[in-house]
Amino acid sequence: MILKIAMLIIFFAIMIGVGIVSRRHATDVNGFVLGGRSVGPWLTAFAFGTSYFSAVVFIGYAGQFGWKFGLSSTWIGLGNAFLGSLLAWIVLGRRTRVMTHHLDAKTMPDFFGKRFDSNALRICAAAIAFIFLIPYTASLYKGLSTLFSLAFDIPYISCVIAMACLTAIYVILGGYMATAINDFIQGIIMLAGIVAVIAAVLANQGGFLSAISKLSEIPADPAVSVPALANMKGPFASFFGPDPLSLFGVIILTSLGTWGLPQMVGKFYSIKSEKSVKTGTIVSTFFAIIVAGGCYFLGGFGRLFDNPAIHAANGGIIYDSIVPQMLSTLPDILIGVVVVLVLSASMSTLSSLVLTSSSTLTLDFLKITCMKKSNEKKTLLTMRILIVFFIVISVVIALNPPTFIAQLMGYSWGALAGSFLAPFMYGLFSKKVTKAAVWANFIWGVGITVINMFPALQFIKSPINCGAIAMVGGLIIVPLVSLISPKMKKETVDQMFSCYGEKVTVTKQVVLTDDEDK
């Protein structure tokens, strides 16, 4: 216990220390929100990865989908790495950095407002972001509390308040730069921790081959299998698991979702240069393969740890207890490592969420409605106050959350990515996207998510599948509506896209002349 407490104290001291050191980067709005657009590729890549993966993935998703799909849930982690990280950086990274710098857009709603020349779109996007980031934040506390109870026997409410206060301190002090540096430190902890935990859990089952053998002996579960595969042999050790279609839906939501989440895409705004995007792409993908792939691979063995503690009184499964039960057999020192690992993952995501929410509400709502004449100092103060406000709201929700983490995550990602992904991506590449198409997609993304939240109106049983449908539907809606709605002025759009056609000079050593080529 002394060792575990010491590890936490050191961890907390480092986080606060980074916040204090980073204060010099947070003296103006640009520095507080974007780190002065001078953040290097390694910090940006780790910030992207640690904001992506949190207690929601390690405890909630790994437990729930590992139980449902077995080892095939590893595909979710690989989808996150190659679709959610690698492809996101390749498709969005450079163009986002170039255009947002050209438009001087600091947030995703700010991008919508300037790209489509509409303050109304900007305000609406800010409202969507603020409202639907809250349930995502609440899910972080819930996942962390289970592990703290396991390791320290600390009440849930104490875990929530401590995590909220610590995150508030370093984000308020150092802004985005403090978040990015802490994300880098937390990311290294996550990489080392997940490898150690997987090795220890498999060792408890007699090694990898023994664990696979035991898993293959577990029969299909009617509750999680499609009828055609109900008699499948060894479904939880199979390549695609007992329900391939549902597995595909989870991969789409958790992978493509990052393309439309403001706290994720915002990382591209702040990267130092276009050249840094290449390095960031490689580092971010490697990080995702280890962390996401490792989390879901670990969760795939969840059924080997079946015991009464994960079964509810009504006969259901308490999914959020599966991974903690797997970890309860570990030595104390490894439990301490796991607590710091999940704390790192959760705090990095939480810091990104609260910074995104406060900056969005301040710059994209208050600043263009009731704070038009506020100076830099007052704007910064407002953002810091709203960080506290946002954390308090999320804590209140976290104290009485829905049954499972995945529900909170599904609704949040579904509404945000369903609303933002398509117009943001198309807006970076096509001059033909219209305001009407963006409005239509906002209505679609929020509408389908909110309707599906009410049991009486629910037509898609899983919030995960609902979110996936919202995103894919948006990719169809935006180009269709753009075809039949009024276009923006050609001169205005051409000016916006001129940033992609700027000429650069290179040294002779880099490019051969025609004569030399002969």
Side-chain angles (χ1 to χ4, degrees):
M1 181 62 73
I2 293 174
L3 182 60
K4 287 186 283 189
I5 292 174
M7 291 170 69
L8 281 181
I9 291 174
I10 293 171
F11 177 79
F12 293 158
I14 291 173
M15 298 302 103
I16 294 174
V18 168
I20 294 171
V21 171
S22 302
R23 284 184 301 173
R24 61 190 178 88
H25 295 283
T27 55
D28 58 22
V29 171
N30 191 49
F32 189 81
V33 177
L34 298 174
R37 296 189 192 265
S38 60
V39 182
W42 282 78
L43 289 183
T44 302
F46 271 72
F48 186 91
T50 54
S51 296
Y52 196 165
F53 310 115
S54 63
V56 176
V57 171
F58 191 77
I59 303 297
Y61 273 26
Q64 179 165 336
F65 300 126
W67 182 272
K68 287 184 175 181
F69 305 126
L71 278 185
S72 65
S73 64
T74 307
W75 283 110
I76 305 172
L78 295 178
N80 293 171
F82 293 106
L83 297 179
S85 292
L86 177 64
L87 201 58
W89 277 78
I90 291 173
V91 175
L92 301 179
R94 175 187 175 273
R95 294 186 80 91
T96 300
R97 171 64 175 81
V98 173
M99 183 170 277
T100 56
H101 187 268
H102 178 66
L103 298 178
D104 192 28
K106 297 180 176 64
T107 64
M108 184 176 275
D110 193 11
F111 170 82
F112 285 128
K114 291 175 178 175
R115 167 64 181 84
F116 299 102
D117 194 23
S118 171
N119 272 339
L121 274 177
R122 183 178 177 183
I123 293 171
C124 182
I128 294 171
F130 184 77
I131 292 169
F132 286 98
L133 282 175
I134 292 175
Y136 184 14
T137 307
S139 68
L140 301 178
Y141 299 112
K142 191 170 187 291
L144 189 66
S145 67
T146 334
L147 277 185
F148 262 81
S149 299
L150 169 68
F152 302 102
D153 195 25
I154 298 175
Y156 173 59
I157 188 171
S158 302
C159 298
V160 170
I161 293 173
M163 179 181 168
C165 291
L166 181 61
T167 305
I169 290 171
Y170 80 74
V171 176
I172 289 172
L173 283 175
Y176 182 79
M177 188 59 78
T179 300
I181 295 173
N182 275 331
D183 285 350
F184 182 75
I185 297 169
Q186 291 159 352
I188 292 173
I189 294 171
M190 290 166 67
L191 287 172
I194 193 65
V195 173
V197 169
I198 290 173
V201 169
L202 292 181
N204 272 346
Q205 293 295 321
F208 175 64
L209 296 179
S210 175
I212 291 286
S213 178
K214 293 176 184 178
L215 198 63
S216 67
E217 295 171 2
I218 299 174
D221 183 349
V224 298
S225 302
V226 294
L229 301 176
N231 297 317
M232 183 180 181
K233 305 297 182 184
F236 301 108
S238 65
F239 194 65
F240 287 117
D243 191 352
L245 290 179
S246 293
L247 176 64
F248 182 70
V250 176
I251 293 172
I252 293 298
L253 175 74
T254 60
S255 300
L256 281 184
T258 61
W259 295 40
L261 296 179
Q263 76 275 15
M264 300 296 297
V265 176
K267 302 297 185 291
F268 299 138
Y269 291 32
S270 58
I271 197 166
K272 190 174 184 179
S273 65
E274 291 182 57
K275 184 180 178 182
S276 299
V277 172
K278 294 181 181 178
T279 306
T281 302
I282 297 169
V283 175
S284 180
T285 304
F286 172 78
F287 182 89
I289 291 172
I290 302 298
V291 175
C295 284
Y296 287 108
F297 175 75
L298 176 66
F301 293 97
R303 285 182 179 263
L304 299 183
F305 297 82
D306 191 2
N307 65 60
I310 66 173
H311 291 271
N314 62 2
I317 302 297
I318 306 173
Y319 294 117
D320 299 342
S321 298
I322 294 173
V323 171
Q325 283 302 312
M326 297 173 70
L327 303 175
S328 63
T329 59
L330 299 180
D332 278 352
I333 180 64
L334 271 180
I335 290 179
V337 170
V338 171
V339 169
V340 175
L341 183 161
V342 180
L343 185 64
S344 297
S346 299
M347 288 185 60
S348 58
T349 306
L350 179 61
S351 62
S352 178
L353 291 172
V354 297
L355 185 59
T356 300
S357 299
S358 68
S359 58
T360 295
L361 190 61
T362 303
L363 300 177
D364 303 313
F365 184 77
L366 299 178
K367 188 73 174 170
I368 58 177
T369 53
C370 57
M371 290 178 55
K372 293 181 180 180
K373 297 182 179 180
S374 63
N375 56 26
E376 196 91 347
K377 187 176 180 181
K378 187 177 179 181
T379 303
L380 269 177
L381 177 61
T382 303
M383 279 193 281
R384 288 184 162 112
I385 292 172
L386 284 175
I387 286 174
V388 177
F389 175 70
F390 183 80
I391 286 179
V392 169
I393 293 176
S394 61
V395 165
V396 170
I397 295 176
L399 295 179
N400 187 28
T403 309
F404 302 123
I405 292 174
Q407 288 180 343
L408 285 171
M409 179 84 160
Y411 289 133
S412 178
W413 279 43
L416 290 168
S419 300
F420 296 156
L421 189 158
F424 182 80
M425 184 180 70
Y426 286 132
L428 289 173
F429 285 86
S430 174
K431 298 179 181 181
K432 298 179 180 179
V433 181
T434 64
K435 294 178 188 178
V438 181
W439 279 115
N441 204 73
F442 283 4
I443 294 168
W444 160 256
V446 173
I448 191 173
T449 304
V450 172
I451 290 171
N452 211 59
M453 290 171 68
F454 295 95
L457 302 174
Q458 193 174 71
F459 58 98
I460 303 172
K461 186 176 180 181
S462 167
I464 308 298
N465 291 338
C466 178
I469 290 171
M471 283 185 284
V472 174
L475 295 174
I476 300 169
I477 289 171
V478 171
L480 286 180
V481 176
S482 294
L483 282 175
I484 59 175
S485 54
K487 305 296 185 289
M488 295 180 62
K489 291 181 180 179
K490 185 178 183 301
E491 303 79 30
T492 303
V493 178
D494 286 344
Q495 195 281 326
M496 293 177 186
F497 277 75
S498 63
C499 57
Y500 297 136
E502 291 179 2
K503 293 183 178 180
V504 296
T505 57
V506 295
T507 59
K508 187 175 181 181
Q509 287 85 349
V510 176
V511 178
L512 294 174
T513 65
D514 290 340
D515 292 336
E516 289 171 320
D517 195 29
K518 295 174 184 176

